[in-house]
């Protein structure tokens, strides 16, 4: 994304905007994500499915404040690359489900758009029972 400030003047006056045509601050402009999913059908018994999901997110560093007015390099959100892994086992055609997830399993330092550090590695578990027909 290449979001830029397109306002030439300040509040309808003739004064030129200092940030005209500068990249908008506090917006990531280079990022990517991907995921890979594997499904093993009839694993253990007919109707059971094991699903393994790996996903990741890359985000290039970006400034918190406008670079056009002299933002210092210490006021940036750093480059980050997170990795997640999920195992899910569905039993009896989805009637019972057990999931285990590890977010940020490489324990990278991750930040939000305000350069506040997010929690590190985290583990989640979930059990679901479907009570329908």
């Amino acid at each position: 994304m290449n979001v830029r400030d397109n306002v030439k003047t300040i509040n309808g006056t003739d004064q030129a905007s200092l940030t005209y045509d500068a990249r908008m601050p506090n917006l990531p402009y280079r990022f990517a994500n991907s995921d890979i999913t594997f499904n093993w059908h009839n694993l253990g018994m007919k109707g059971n499915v094991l699903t393994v999901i790996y996903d990741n997110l890359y985000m290039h560093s970006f400034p918190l404040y406008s670079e056009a007015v002299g933002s210092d390099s210490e006021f940036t959100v750093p480059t980050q690359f997170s990795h997640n892994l999920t195992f899910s086992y569905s039993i009896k055609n989805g009637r019972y489900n057990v999931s285990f997830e590890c977010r940020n399993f490489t324990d990278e330092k991750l930040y939000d758009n305000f350069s506040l550090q997010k929690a590190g590695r985290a583990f989640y578990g979930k059990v679901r029972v479907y009570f329908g027909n």
Side-chain angles (χ1 to χ4, degrees):
M1 291 186 351
N2 192 17
V3 181
R4 301 223 173 233
D5 184 352
N6 292 325
V7 179
K8 292 182 180 183
T9 60
I10 298 174
N11 295 330
T13 66
D14 290 336
Q15 183 179 356
S17 172
L18 294 174
T19 60
Y20 174 68
D21 201 35
R23 183 172 277 128
M24 295 296 286
N26 203 20
L27 283 176
Y29 58 91
R30 190 178 310 150
F31 52 90
N33 62 5
S34 66
D35 68 74
I36 299 171
T37 303
F38 295 102
N39 293 304
W40 285 274
H41 295 276
N42 301 319
L43 184 67
M45 201 162 109
K46 187 173 181 171
N48 295 356
V49 179
L50 174 65
T51 303
V52 177
I53 303 169
Y54 164 77
D55 64 271
N56 60 40
L57 169 66
Y58 168 80
M59 191 173 313
H60 190 72
S61 65
F62 59 93
L64 286 173
Y65 306 107
S66 178
E67 294 174 310
V69 291
S71 176
D72 195 355
S73 63
E74 71 181 68
F75 298 113
T76 61
V77 176
T79 297
Q80 44 198 324
F81 193 35
S82 69
H83 306 270
N84 308 309
L85 194 58
T86 304
F87 295 92
S88 182
Y89 191 57
S90 174
I91 304 166
K92 293 194 176 183
N93 293 316
R95 182 168 180 104
Y96 307 101
N97 293 277
V98 178
S99 295
F100 176 76
E101 180 177 12
C102 181
R103 311 267 319 148
N104 189 16
F105 66 80
T106 56
D107 203 21
E108 298 293 324
K109 288 186 178 182
L110 304 177
Y111 301 87
D112 66 7
N113 280 21
F114 300 103
S115 199
L116 296 174
Q117 189 171 351
K118 294 180 180 181
R121 183 182 302 130
F123 298 94
Y124 301 93
K126 181 169 55 172
V127 176
R128 184 182 76 108
V129 178
Y130 179 68
F131 292 106
N133 291 335

